[in-house]
Amino acid sequence: LHLLLAGHHRALGTVCADLRGAVCADETCAVVDAYRHFEHAVILQLEIEEHELLPEFGEVFPLEAEAIRSEQRTLRDELYRLGVDVELHQARAERFERLVGMLKLHLEVEESTLFPWVETFLAMPARRTVFTRIRRSLFELGKVHQRRAA
């Protein structure tokens, strides 16, 4: 599960980098379409963490859980602002670079705290839910990345 969660974060970074490339190439329609899928996948990741992982993790590691929640609020804010820019066709490559950097930092924190705990202690029903939802999202992200690469 640790590898699947980390892989999902990395896939988000890859698609975000693809979006940056589309912005640089001035492919406005492609950016708007791909961003909707990307945004959905990021929100899914955050919701899984918030609802399936952080409640139990926070009982054992409250400070670490709150730090992750704070990062998530920052990511959501940036995602929202970038989404507005995308819809208004005003997105800039630097904003995508910033978001990629934020996602990488978020992943580093989770890989050193949350994901190892998940691998060992998360209850089986929650594991199944997380596994199913992340696999489905990875499949969708793969399609976005393939469209962009074609």
Side-chain angles (χ1 to χ4, degrees):
L1 200 55
H2 178 145
L3 293 175
L4 188 67
L5 288 164
H8 190 257
H9 269 286
R10 287 187 186 92
L12 292 172
T14 299
V15 172
C16 191
D18 288 348
L19 283 164
R20 180 199 171 283
V23 167
C24 288
D26 202 24
E27 299 171 359
T28 307
C29 292
V31 171
V32 172
D33 181 53
Y35 188 80
R36 288 184 185 129
H37 293 285
F38 168 75
E39 182 180 40
H40 175 75
V42 173
I43 290 170
L44 173 71
Q45 176 85 26
L46 297 176
E47 287 176 351
I48 287 170
E49 291 170 4
E50 290 167 359
H51 299 291
E52 302 293 338
L53 309 179
L54 289 175
E56 287 183 50
F57 178 73
E59 290 176 15
V60 181
F61 299 104
L63 296 177
E64 291 85 349
E66 186 49 42
I68 291 170
R69 286 184 182 102
S70 177
E71 285 180 4
Q72 289 178 333
R73 286 188 292 273
T74 302
L75 280 168
R76 282 181 187 274
D77 289 345
E78 185 65 20
L79 197 63
Y80 173 77
R81 286 192 298 272
L82 187 54
V84 170
D85 287 351
V86 166
E87 290 294 327
L88 296 175
H89 306 287
Q90 296 176 351
R92 300 285 174 255
E94 298 80 27
R95 294 292 299 273
F96 285 99
E97 289 172 14
R98 175 185 158 107
L99 187 57
V100 167
M102 292 171 71
L103 288 168
K104 284 180 182 177
L105 287 174
H106 185 67
L107 175 59
E108 287 173 14
V109 168
E110 290 183 340
E111 280 195 309
S112 66
T113 58
L114 180 62
F115 295 169
W117 178 88
V118 164
E119 193 67 35
T120 305
F121 297 107
L122 188 65
M124 191 52 71
R127 283 175 159 307
R128 283 191 205 104
T129 299
V130 170
F131 183 80
T132 301
R133 293 180 75 192
I134 292 293
R135 276 197 53 212
R136 191 174 314 129
S137 181
L138 278 168
F139 178 75
E140 293 300 319
L141 284 171
K143 289 193 308 190
V144 171
H145 179 64
Q146 287 173 347
R147 271 186 254 142
R148 186 61 205 124

